Amino acid sequence: MVSDIKSTAHAVDASAVMGLLPARPRLLALGEPTHGEGTLLDLRNELFRQLVEQEGYRTIAIESDCMMGLVVDDHVTSGTGDLDEVMERGFSHRWFNGSAGNRDLVRWMRAYNDGRPAAERLRFAGFDGPLEMTAAASPRQALTALHGYLSASVDAGLLPCTAETLDRLLGADDRWTDPAAMMDPAQSVGRSAEAGELRLLADDLVALLDAQTPHLITATSRDDWDRARLYGRTATGLLRYHFWMADTSPSRWTWLASLRAQMMAGNLLAAAERGPVLVHSHNGHLQRAKSTMRMGGLQLEWWGAGALVSAHLGEGYAFLATALGTIPHQGVDAPPPDTVEGLLYALPEERFVVDARRLVAALGDAQPTSRESPFYGYSPLDPAHVAGTDGIVFVKDVRQS
């Protein structure tokens, strides 16, 4: 069986990846089974460089706050801010802004763009919502930015409210970001009278943005209009998320997981409108299969961002899952030989990509077992999900950065 699998393995490069696919996808998703490992970020960076230089890719989207990502995009496209400031303010989640791999990516993108016309510049996008495990952001930034954009370009009489009304209804931001609300719905302001009014106003502001599209693109620019659409998606998404944070039914956690996935998917589909995008995120967010998780004794199921985007784009979405052999510094030793990782670990190469369909054919009736992880931050590949990928990138040993 190992020899059959070996025949499907190729070096991880743009030409090998494209050879797995029927056509160049609008969204090429590269998953990872754990966050913060420099080996995986270096692999991502090299693949993105090749996709830019050989396949015409111009955007990379990563699992980071979509609003904070605007800081990075401004820097790589126009040089706004210095690199230290951008790394501090442009990434969410603790493993992103301190990452040497992400720093190298931003530095390379800025150097590539220097002196190039706007149409040829690389773009950066965060595609996660402004959400953390312990809290959700206030909708203030997105909502007021959307209102500001519209108030500068459309008749004031069309606006559903004033900036002062928004400020009054929003109140103090710490009401929205209280971490106690994640576990205690009673601490959430998401179903207050003010939040309900804000949801209606946000909906009207997005409707006005859509209705004025021809005028706004001419009066401002398509980039500015695209950014305003991001504000609208984020404001309405956050208000909906806060509404369900205040819910007390057994469906609460499923709703929250689903809403995060919907915000991710909306941002990815918007990024794809500009041209082909390399997406980098956890395998679990990008898979086509339904996502599952146990939370407080409940078994949650929801469709993740990859499943949603795949349903919209069909062959325009491609997903490469990454699987690992060892992570010695996290206590992850060589995989058992009867797991997918164990079968791939038996090959001599350090890193390679295999065609998932040919791998399934090589396995035949053999049913690999699921690998168990001693490290909570690493998610082994689910054997049942192999057939739902377009390829598997395998890294034999992940060394500490």
Side-chain angles (χ1 to χ4, degrees):
M1 184 184 297
V2 171
S3 61
D4 291 337
I5 296 174
K6 182 175 174 58
S7 69
T8 76
H10 302 279
V12 185
D13 56 38
S15 61
V17 167
M18 289 300 164
L20 301 177
L21 309 173
R24 185 178 72 169
R26 292 164 62 186
L27 289 173
L28 172 59
L30 174 66
E32 61 177 4
T34 186
H35 287 311
E37 295 296 343
T39 300
L40 303 185
L41 297 181
D42 291 344
L43 185 152
R44 175 204 66 187
N45 291 352
E46 178 57 30
L47 180 60
F48 181 56
R49 284 192 285 268
Q50 293 179 15
L51 290 169
V52 167
E53 294 165 356
Q54 300 172 26
E55 299 292 336
Y57 276 64
R58 289 292 177 268
T59 300
I60 187 167
I62 75 166
E63 183 191 332
S64 184
D65 183 329
C66 58
M67 296 292 288
M68 297 178 79
L70 298 175
V71 173
V72 185
D73 191 52
D74 285 342
H75 176 74
V76 299
T77 55
S78 60
T80 304
D82 63 45
L83 185 57
D84 288 338
E85 174 191 9
V86 169
M87 296 308 300
E88 180 64 29
R89 296 178 48 238
F91 293 85
S92 59
H93 313 314
R94 59 178 174 78
W95 51 80
F96 287 154
N97 55 14
S99 158
N102 282 334
R103 190 181 184 90
D104 289 345
L105 172 70
V106 173
R107 184 189 293 115
W108 178 79
M109 291 177 70
R110 177 65 204 131
Y112 182 95
N113 284 341
D114 192 26
R116 293 182 186 269
E120 297 179 12
R121 292 175 193 159
L122 305 182
R123 303 295 299 270
F124 178 94
F127 73 90
D128 202 353
L131 308 169
E132 293 284 355
M133 290 298 292
T134 57
S138 163
R140 176 184 299 278
Q141 181 186 5
L143 198 52
T144 56
L146 175 60
H147 187 278
Y149 172 79
L150 290 169
S151 63
S153 300
V154 303
D155 189 311
L158 294 174
L159 293 168
C161 66
T162 65
E164 291 74 21
T165 296
L166 289 181
D167 186 61
R168 174 179 59 80
L169 292 171
L170 285 161
D173 283 346
D174 58 10
R175 297 168 62 237
W176 298 92
T177 58
D178 182 359
M182 184 57 72
M183 301 307 297
D184 181 5
Q187 303 303 312
S188 172
V189 298
R191 297 197 177 186
S192 64
E194 293 86 353
E197 191 170 348
L198 285 168
R199 286 187 76 186
L200 293 174
L201 291 173
D203 185 66
D204 283 343
L205 288 169
V206 171
L208 181 59
L209 177 68
D210 289 342
Q212 294 291 315
T213 293
H215 163 67
L216 291 170
I217 290 176
T218 302
T220 61
S221 70
R222 181 168 288 274
D223 274 353
D224 289 342
W225 175 75
D226 274 337
R227 186 165 289 199
R229 291 169 67 210
L230 170 61
Y231 298 150
R233 289 192 304 275
T234 306
T236 55
L238 279 173
L239 286 164
R240 193 175 295 119
Y241 195 90
H242 280 286
F243 177 86
W244 282 99
M245 283 182 74
D247 183 57
T248 58
S249 79
S251 299
R252 178 179 188 262
W253 286 109
T254 300
W255 264 103
L256 293 178
S258 297
L259 289 171
R260 182 186 181 194
Q262 288 175 48
M263 293 177 74
M264 287 181 161
N267 289 331
L268 288 176
L269 290 170
E273 293 175 7
R274 288 201 297 248
V277 181
L278 176 66
V279 183
H280 190 242
S281 179
H282 196 281
N283 286 333
H285 292 306
L286 302 177
Q287 67 189 30
R288 291 185 174 95
K290 210 168 193 180
S291 299
T292 61
M293 178 174 64
R294 290 200 67 82
M295 177 70 71
L298 297 174
Q299 180 70 16
L300 310 183
E301 293 187 355
W302 72 97
W303 294 107
L308 296 172
V309 170
S310 180
H312 281 280
L313 297 184
E315 289 186 352
Y317 179 73
F319 170 43
L320 304 176
T322 295
L324 307 178
T326 72
I327 320 175
H329 54 282
Q330 299 292 4
V332 180
D333 298 323
D338 60 347
T339 62
V340 174
E341 288 91 344
L343 292 168
L344 297 175
Y345 194 75
L347 273 61
E349 292 81 6
E350 276 297 312
R351 60 183 66 177
F352 52 87
V353 60
V354 296
D355 185 323
R357 289 159 297 191
R358 294 181 63 190
L359 175 60
V360 170
L363 291 173
D365 294 331
Q367 295 295 321
T369 61
S370 297
R371 185 183 190 185
E372 299 294 328
S373 171
F375 170 46
Y376 75 95
Y378 160 61
S379 300
L381 189 66
D382 186 336
H385 293 171
V386 171
T389 69
D390 296 288
I392 296 174
V393 172
F394 187 74
V395 177
K396 196 164 195 175
D397 300 294
V398 174
R399 302 300 180 188
Q400 188 166 13
S401 301

